[in-house]
Amino acid sequence: KRRKKIDFLIYYRKHSNKMNFFPYDFIKKLIKLKFKVHIVGDKLNLPNIKNYGFISSEKLSNLQSLTKYTIMSGENPYSFFILECMSKDVKIIIKKNMKKNIALPKKNLIELDYDSLNSVKKLKL
C-alpha cells in the first residue's frame, strides 16, 4: 500500500448540471481546517488548493492512489471518477441521508453534514 498524502482529490466541472450539486461551502470549510485539497478538471478559484486541470488517466490513477477522501456530488453517484476512487480505496464523502439511496459498497461511503464544521473535523488526517 502507498502512503496517502493527499487529503482530498475532487473532480470539478463547470457545467449547468453540476453547479447546483457542487459543495463549494464544504470545500471552503476543508481549506479552513487545513486539509490538502487537490482539484482535477476545470480550475476552481479558491485559495490554498492545487489545481491540476485535465490530466491523463494514468496521472489521475496515480493521484487517486495517493488520496484519502473525495466528495461525491449529487448529480451522478456512479461517475467513472467515483468508481475509480473506490477501486483505489479512497473514502467517498456524501451528503447526509444519501447513503440509503446509493447502491455502492457502504464501507467506502462516509455521510457528513456539509453545513456542520464539527462533522468535518471528525475526518482523520
Side-chain angles (χ1 to χ4, degrees):
K1 283 195 167 192
R2 295 175 80 173
R3 186 174 167 272
K4 304 226 177 212
K5 57 186 176 182
I6 298 172
D7 295 326
F8 279 85
L9 181 66
I10 301 166
Y11 177 68
Y12 174 66
R13 285 286 296 187
K14 291 179 190 172
H15 190 278
S16 59
N17 290 348
K18 294 181 179 289
M19 298 311 268
N20 294 336
F21 294 102
F22 196 76
Y24 295 100
D25 291 334
F26 182 70
I27 293 171
K28 290 175 186 175
K29 287 177 181 131
L30 295 174
I31 294 166
K32 184 178 181 179
L33 291 170
K34 308 281 189 231
F35 282 97
K36 294 177 193 163
V37 178
H38 296 226
I39 304 292
V40 293
D42 290 323
K43 184 175 181 175
L44 183 59
N45 291 315
L46 291 175
N48 301 318
I49 62 171
K50 179 155 176 68
N51 283 289
Y52 290 94
F54 293 94
I55 56 177
S56 70
S57 59
E58 183 178 324
K59 178 152 180 145
L60 178 61
S61 180
N62 185 47
L63 288 173
Q64 288 168 322
S65 68
L66 297 172
T67 300
K68 297 174 191 171
Y69 302 101
T70 193
I71 299 173
M72 178 187 292
S73 62
E75 88 288 346
N76 182 9
Y78 309 107
S79 70
F80 287 123
F81 178 77
I82 292 297
L83 297 175
E84 290 168 352
C85 281
M86 291 184 90
S87 75
K88 300 289 184 185
D89 200 30
V90 177
K91 300 295 182 199
I92 314 296
I93 306 297
I94 61 174
K95 197 169 189 171
K96 192 171 179 108
N97 300 322
M98 280 184 59
K99 198 179 216 180
K100 62 183 176 279
N101 300 326
I102 298 172
L104 291 172
K106 305 299 187 216
K107 71 178 183 100
N108 286 6
L109 303 179
I110 300 172
E111 282 185 316
L112 287 181
D113 179 359
Y114 287 1
D115 298 324
S116 168
L117 194 58
N118 286 335
S119 70
V120 179
K121 288 179 182 178
K122 293 177 186 177
L123 294 174
K124 297 175 185 170
L125 290 177

